[in-house]
Amino acid sequence: MFNPDTPSGTATRNFTLSDFDFVLPPELIAQHPAAERSGSRLLDGTGEAPVDRIFHSLPSLLKAGDLLVFNDTKVLKARLFGEKPSGGKVELLVERVLTGNQVAAHMRVSKKPEPGTTITLAGGEGFCATMLGRWPDKDGTLFRFVLSNDAGDDPYTLMERHGHMPLPPYITHTDSEEDAVRYQTVFARAPGAVAAPTAALHFDEGLLAQLEAQGVQRASVTLHVGAGTFQPVKTENIAEHQMHSEWYAVPEATQQAIADCKARGGRVVAVGTTTVRTLESWAQSGLATGDTRIFITPGFVFQHVDLLVTNFHLPKSSLMMLVSAFAGYEKIMALYQHAIAQQYRFFSYGDAMLLSKMSPDHVAI
């Protein structure tokens, strides 16, 4: 666990998993969103000392010519409940929609059905899933199903009609109508995620209009957030961790917007770690679309992002490592201790923080 009395030494430090652990009082895990999206708290970590703000004050921290980059993915109602022919209960979490009405899904079941088994979903109504095997290969961790109903609807339609919002494992209530609205950004466009890009949940139409009027520009990328985002890193040697794969795209218009922003001396402000992972995957690979397993840890050199809006992340998670790489390990751990002391709300429905990129002279290696 972080020790605030430890002298700064990130320039030569070899980090292990334990370095990214911290004790979080369970009552700080937000179970419901704030009454208003932009009414969440915002911990301003851009200066020497942390400043407690409200999220709707974000425009005062940005300037004309800056570029906000959002992840426009849309969360699917990807959790499906059903039963096997034997009557045994099955829960599917659709991770990816494939071609031919097929999906790749996590499966929770007492005894795995054999390939060819048809599972009745959503209490019947002609909606079923036929298991074909594992995905992406015979040793894959996901399972491939064909979703079908009597009307021949596609998987997106079937999930929207019969599925449940895939709330994170630390949210204890079953999904509700409130979650269907609030666990989705106001600009969600491209269906495919099983988790929300949560930093963007704080933006409402009024705040977006205020930012636009101020001259802060806006662009979008897409990264379909997978369930692996909630998985803790389990290897003490973090270099041994295998990242999950997620599909991303950086449109040509966004590529141009970033180039224009840099040319005019503006700052690229990534909204959420998924946007960071998308932009830096593009920078690293040169590919504007594809699958990424990028794992950002201290020592990483960021090529595109100057500022980051982000929520507070799980202990021992790859996202704790990402924000530590971005803003500096000691800085992040001090901000987290401040947030806990000041009773900030944590995780997906929690509060946010604003971070600036650490100077290259201080990048940990």
Side-chain angles (χ1 to χ4, degrees), residues 157-332:
T157 301
L158 291 168
M159 283 187 281
E160 182 61 31
R161 184 180 302 148
H162 300 290
H164 295 262
M165 290 299 281
L167 296 178
Y170 45 74
I171 290 179
T172 56
H173 66 268
T174 56
D175 65 307
S176 65
E177 287 302 314
E178 177 190 48
D179 298 306
V181 175
R182 295 297 303 275
Y183 195 62
Q184 196 81 270
T185 66
V186 297
F187 42 75
R189 181 196 60 82
V194 299
T198 55
L201 296 178
H202 304 288
F203 289 83
D204 53 33
E205 295 295 351
L207 182 59
L208 290 170
Q210 185 180 351
L211 288 160
E212 183 178 358
Q214 186 177 311
V216 176
Q217 300 195 14
R218 176 175 157 187
S220 294
V221 297
T222 304
L223 182 137
H224 291 324
V225 192
T229 192
F230 301 117
Q231 295 300 314
V233 177
K234 296 179 180 179
T235 57
E236 188 64 19
N237 179 357
I238 60 177
E240 296 174 358
H241 176 64
Q242 295 294 314
M243 283 292 286
H244 57 288
S245 177
E246 293 169 318
W247 182 89
Y248 75 93
V250 184
E252 286 188 14
T254 297
Q255 298 176 38
Q256 188 61 53
I258 290 171
D260 292 344
C261 176
K262 296 290 188 182
R264 65 177 173 261
R267 298 171 297 178
V268 174
V269 185
V271 179
T273 54
T274 61
T275 297
V276 174
R277 296 184 70 241
T278 303
L279 294 178
E280 299 301 333
S281 293
W282 165 50
Q284 196 173 73
S285 68
L287 300 175
T289 186
D291 285 273
T292 180
R293 292 180 179 270
I294 193 170
F295 184 24
I296 297 176
T297 59
F300 185 88
V301 178
F302 294 84
Q303 297 186 51
H304 286 311
V305 182
D306 301 305
L307 291 172
L308 170 61
V309 180
T310 183
N311 279 21
F312 296 92
H313 303 293
L314 293 164
K316 294 186 174 182
S317 65
S318 63
L319 301 181
M320 278 295 294
M321 299 170 193
L322 184 154
V323 295
S324 297
F326 186 78
Y329 174 78
E330 281 81 8
K331 176 91 169 181
I332 287 296

